[in-house]
Amino acid sequence: MPLQTIDAITGYHAHVYYDAETKAAAAELREAMEANFAGLRMGRWHDRPVGPHPCWSYQVAFEPEMFASLVPWLALNRGDLVIFLHPETGDAVPDHRDHALWLGAKLELNLDALR
């Protein structure tokens, strides 16, 4: 398989997973992200599993240039929340299955929702 270059990455999505007990912590993390990082595109709250995501979640979209500052910040400030992170290359299944990173426990995604 030929090597890919990072030029293929047009952005990233971080999906913050939460449930009824951890929604307040997810809200605090969201507010802190918005206060500390300009240029984030915050997605809607989904109080149910949506698409490939097995948990309640909200999405945070950001540019590749923000990766080096945002991802370490999330690693240090996520508390007990699980965060699923993937690049956007235009190929959804590999982006979610092969190129993803997890902060916290790795959960099983419903990849059929992307096909």
Side-chain angles (χ1 to χ4, degrees), residues 16-71:
V16 177
Y17 291 165
Y18 62 92
D19 58 23
E21 291 82 34
T22 60
K23 188 170 184 177
E28 288 178 19
L29 182 65
R30 183 182 179 109
E31 289 172 15
M33 274 190 279
E34 290 176 309
N36 287 285
F37 296 94
L40 298 177
R41 295 177 308 281
M42 305 303 285
R44 294 186 306 268
W45 291 87
H46 296 285
D47 290 349
R48 62 182 176 81
V50 173
H53 306 289
C55 303
W56 301 6
S57 67
Y58 62 80
Q59 174 181 285
V60 181
F62 59 97
E63 299 302 318
E65 297 76 24
M66 296 182 73
F67 186 95
S69 59
L70 179 60
V71 175

Side-chain angles (χ1 to χ4, degrees), residues 91-104:
D91 201 350
V93 172
D95 286 349
H96 286 75
R97 181 189 62 210
D98 305 327
H99 308 143
L101 302 170
W102 291 89
L103 300 177

